[in-house]
């Protein structure tokens, strides 16, 4: 069985948003690019968090209604090099080189 790398699982064109990006724009970009999550990039282009389709559900359950990507995101972002083997819950391996930002 061939193990997949992080590079195999991500879109080739990166899409990210700034913390001040509106919730509506986040939803539009997720839909437009057919993705389920994207990093939120700060002024130094570092990812303090990730915004995903699940985040509105999490906030709704908590009774909050965030207006921006920075308020909506989950943090910290977990990042990995493209060559890192992706972990699968059905395998005994784990990714090395993955870190929280």
């Amino acid at each position: 069985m061939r193990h997949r790398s992080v590079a195999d699982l991500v879109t080739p064109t990166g899409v990210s948003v700034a913390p001040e990006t509106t919730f509506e724009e986040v939803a539009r970009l997720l839909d437009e690019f057919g993705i389920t999550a994207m990093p939120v990039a700060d002024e130094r282009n570092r990812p303090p968090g990730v915004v995903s389709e699940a985040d509105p559900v999490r906030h709704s359950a908590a009774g909050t209604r965030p207006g921006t990507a920075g308020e909506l995101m989950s943090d910290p972002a977990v990042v990995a090099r493209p060559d890192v083997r992706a972990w699968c819950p059905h395998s005994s391996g784990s990714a090395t080189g993955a870190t929280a930002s």
Side-chain angles (χ1 to χ4, degrees):
M1 178 174 105
R2 180 179 171 266
H3 292 284
R4 294 171 27 159
S5 69
V6 169
D8 294 329
L9 302 174
V10 298
T11 56
T13 303
V15 179
S16 65
V17 292
E20 61 274 6
T21 303
T22 65
F23 171 79
E24 292 80 10
E25 180 68 2
V26 168
R28 187 190 70 73
L29 289 169
L30 290 172
D31 182 57
E32 177 181 335
F33 288 94
I35 54 179
T36 59
M38 66 185 136
V40 177
D42 66 15
E43 63 279 348
R44 297 181 302 176
N45 207 29
R46 292 189 174 172
V50 175
V51 65
S52 75
E53 292 177 333
D55 289 321
V57 174
R58 181 174 53 87
H59 280 279
S60 179
T64 59
R65 184 165 167 82
T68 66
E71 296 167 346
L72 185 66
M73 71 182 185
S74 300
D75 62 343
V78 176
V79 298
R81 295 183 318 268
D83 61 325
V84 170
R85 184 174 59 169
W87 181 82
C88 174
H90 302 292
S91 75
S92 60
S94 65
T96 58
T99 59
S101 289

